[in-house]
Structure formats: C-alpha cells, structure tokens
C-alpha cells in the first residue's frame, strides 16, 4: 500500500514542450498561435495541453493588443486517477514594450473569461486577470537571456490569488524566423510549489508584400 504523499507532484521536475508563433499578415495585424504540452514529469504523467489562437493589432512599436480564444484539457491530479478538466477561454491582451540600455522590458496584461467543464454535472465561469513581466538581455548575436514573473488572479474567488510563475532561461536564434527556448521556472500556489523545465520553439513569419 502506497503511503500518502510518497509520490508528490512537488517532488517531480516536470517539462513543458511549447510552440509559439506570430504571423504578420499586414502592417498592423498578425496572427498569434500557440500549442503547449505539459507533463508532471520529463515526458510522462500528462498534466495539460493548451491551444491558443489570436489576432494582434499594433498601435505603435511599443504598444499592441491581442484578442483570442484558447482551449485546454488537463489532468487535475498527479499519480492517481481523476476526471480530466476541459476549458474554453476568451482572452484580451495589452502588451507594452520599452528598452533600458540593452534590456528589453515587456509587460502583458491579460484578461480571461474561462468556461470550465469539471465533470458531467459541474460547469463554472470565471474571470481571471494575469500580469506578466518579461526582461530580455542579449548575450550575443545568437543568444539572449530572459527573466519573467507572472501573477494569476481569479476575480470570482474569495481567495483571489491563484498562482505566481517565476523563471529564467535562454533563447537561441536559429535563423530570422525561428528561435529555440530553454528555461526553468517555478509555479507557486497557496498550497504547492511545482518545478518545470521549458523547451520551446518560437516561429515568426511575414506574409506581407514587399514594397
């Protein structure tokens, strides 16, 4: 018989495999795409997969907004059987960017409307507010380092604070369209601290006509 807490999600080093894309379709508009596959362990013990699609509008080089939808499914428990959780979301982003010496500083304010299907009899609607601070520093023409911190608030809960993500990593410029991402971060909630590796690819394309 397994002792309770013998195999805890807090004791595992999980991994997120990530794709993020930005596809410029005109001078002001771009499509934002994303797919993440998240595991409690290196490549097993499924935790969540999430897909996101948005339309981005640029006001200035330092200010843009995104409106989009996302769909996520996840296993709400580690190392035990559970009913999967399904979510559909609408989201709205305000993105701000500034430069200080060689540092690039980005702020993202995200408002989410989450439609959560917990089981056959339980459906919930929640409004979430997220704030992400991201700092990037170029090491060379090909390498850069990043730091980030993101706070999650559930506006429909008496306990508003949900999570805080804090991490760091490196970006490698493969070519003008592709970057590779590798990092480490911690997910802190009121009851747990989870450790995660990030392995990702970032794709940037342009479909605008050259003048």
């Amino acid at each position: 018989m397994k002792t309770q807490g013998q195999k805890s999600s807090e004791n595992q080093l999980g991994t997120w495999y990530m794709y993020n894309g930005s596809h410029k379709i005109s001078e002001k508009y771009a499509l934002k795409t994303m797919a993440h596959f998240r595991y409690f362990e290196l490549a097993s013990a499924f935790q969540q997969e999430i897909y996101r699609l948005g339309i981005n509008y640029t006001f200035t080089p330092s200010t843009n907004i995104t409106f989009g939808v996302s769909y996520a499914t996840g296993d709400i428990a580690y190392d035990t059987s559970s009913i999967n959780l399904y979510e559909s979301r609408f989201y709205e982003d305000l993105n701000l960017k500034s430069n200080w010496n060689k540092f690039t500083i980005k702020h993202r304010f995200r408002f989410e409307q989450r439609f959560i299907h917990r089981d056959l009899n339980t459906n919930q609607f929640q409004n979430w507010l997220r704030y992400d601070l991201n700092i990037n520093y170029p090491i060379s023409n090909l390498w850069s380092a990043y730091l980030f911190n993101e706070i999650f608030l559930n506006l429909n809960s008496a306990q508003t604070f949900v999570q805080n993500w804090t991490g760091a990593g490196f970006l490698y410029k493969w070519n003008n369209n592709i970057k590779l991402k590798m990092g480490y971060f911690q997910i802190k909630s009121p009851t747990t601290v989870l450790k995660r590796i990030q392995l990702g690819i970032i794709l940037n394309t342009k479909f605008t006509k050259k003048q």
Side-chain angles (χ1 to χ4, degrees):
M1 182 175 178
K2 185 165 57 181
T3 304
Q4 185 176 7
Q6 182 178 356
K7 196 173 182 183
S8 167
S9 60
E10 290 192 83
N11 297 327
Q12 305 301 317
L13 180 61
T15 306
W16 286 14
Y17 300 95
M18 308 181 301
Y19 156 80
N20 290 81
S22 180
H23 314 285
K24 196 172 181 64
I25 55 178
S26 72
E27 187 64 29
K28 293 288 188 179
Y29 288 94
L31 289 176
K32 298 291 186 178
T33 55
M34 189 200 86
H36 284 192
F37 305 93
R38 304 169 177 177
Y39 295 88
F40 284 106
E41 300 179 7
L42 181 62
S44 61
F46 166 78
Q47 181 183 8
Q48 186 185 46
E49 62 183 31
I50 181 169
Y51 305 92
R52 185 171 287 132
L53 176 65
I55 184 74
N56 176 269
Y57 179 80
T58 298
F59 292 99
T60 69
S62 61
T63 307
N64 64 81
I65 57 174
T66 302
F67 296 93
V69 295
S70 61
Y71 175 78
T73 180
D75 193 334
I76 60 176
Y78 172 69
D79 198 37
T80 184
S81 60
S82 67
I83 299 174
N84 282 3
L85 179 75
Y86 299 91
E87 286 190 41
S88 298
R89 308 174 187 171
F90 295 99
Y91 72 94
E92 304 83 39
D93 290 351
L94 170 63
N95 303 291
L96 306 174
K97 181 173 69 173
S98 61
N99 294 289
W100 182 71
N101 291 331
K102 291 186 177 182
F103 292 92
T104 299
I105 303 170
K106 295 180 180 180
H107 307 268
R108 188 194 68 204
F109 301 88
R110 172 170 291 170
F111 187 53
E112 291 180 330
Q113 300 80 47
R114 298 190 175 197
F115 299 85
I116 304 169
H117 177 74
R118 293 193 177 276
D119 53 46
L120 292 176
N121 302 312
T122 307
N123 292 284
Q124 296 178 339
F125 172 75
Q126 297 177 359
N127 290 290
W128 283 40
L129 179 63
R130 299 166 55 172
Y131 167 67
D132 176 67
L133 172 64
N134 190 294
I135 301 174
N136 184 284
Y137 181 82
I139 301 172
S140 68
N141 291 332
L142 297 179
W143 289 91
S144 63
Y146 67 87
L147 298 168
F148 73 93
N149 186 78
E150 184 168 7
I151 297 173
F152 295 68
L153 304 176
N154 182 350
L155 303 182
N156 294 106
S157 174
Q159 182 176 289
T160 306
F161 171 76
V162 181
Q163 290 182 350
N164 185 57
W165 296 359
T166 305
F170 298 96
L171 291 166
Y172 175 74
K173 184 179 179 181
W174 184 269
N175 56 40
N176 289 334
N177 301 111
I178 297 174
K179 290 182 179 180
L180 304 179
K181 182 176 185 178
M182 180 176 66
Y184 169 85
F185 75 110
Q186 291 189 343
I187 301 172
K188 299 179 181 179
S189 74
T191 58
T192 60
V193 178
L194 303 178
K195 300 172 284 292
R196 294 292 182 263
I197 294 173
Q198 293 180 318
L199 298 174
I201 182 169
I202 301 170
L203 176 64
N204 294 293
T205 58
K206 291 184 179 180
F207 297 100
T208 55
K209 295 181 179 180
K210 295 182 178 180
Q211 299 295 326

